[in-house]
Amino acid sequence: MINKFSALALAGLAAAFAFAPSAQAAECATTIEGNDAMQFSTKSLSVPASCKEYKVTLKHTGQLAANIMGHNVVVTKTADMAGVNGDGMKAGADNNYVKPGDSRVIANSKVIGGGESTTFSIPVAKLAAGEDYSFFCSFPGHFSIMQGKLTLAK
Ligand code: ZN
């Protein structure tokens, strides 16, 4: 009886794996959460070089509005981060705190508030192996806390 049950459970697991999305697709996407305590849920992202695009979904798990506790995700070389953040602040909320046409920005999401989510794609061809990249929130005052490292994996 127990053996038969185990066999059924294993068969169920095998079926679940068979219907799971391919590993390739799963590796080319991630979700970052941001909250009302001004925290991202991760401090590092590793982008597989085999991906054409790397999809990032930003999920705001808090309740505060976008004009009070807005979050976005901006990807730049770490060396460009402070400059892009400063120019983004001047660009203001209408531009999602990113200077329009800023060539230092590799990719960015829009600014969202509590309960919202947004997805954007990083063109992986724009990333070089060994380069030091960062992702951060450019909402005024968030950049020093809400940031992490991004690297191109092999
Ligand atoms: Zn933020």
Side-chain angles (χ1 to χ4, degrees), residues 38 69-72 137 139 142 146:
M38 220 191 280
M69 183 55 72
H71 299 314
N72 66 359
C137 175
F139 190 90
H142 290 196
M146 299 188 80

Side-chain angles (χ1 to χ4, degrees), residues 14 18 25 32 46-47 79 112 128 133 144 148 152:
I32 302 175
S46 180
V47 178
I112 57 168
Y133 300 99
S144 59
L152 182 67

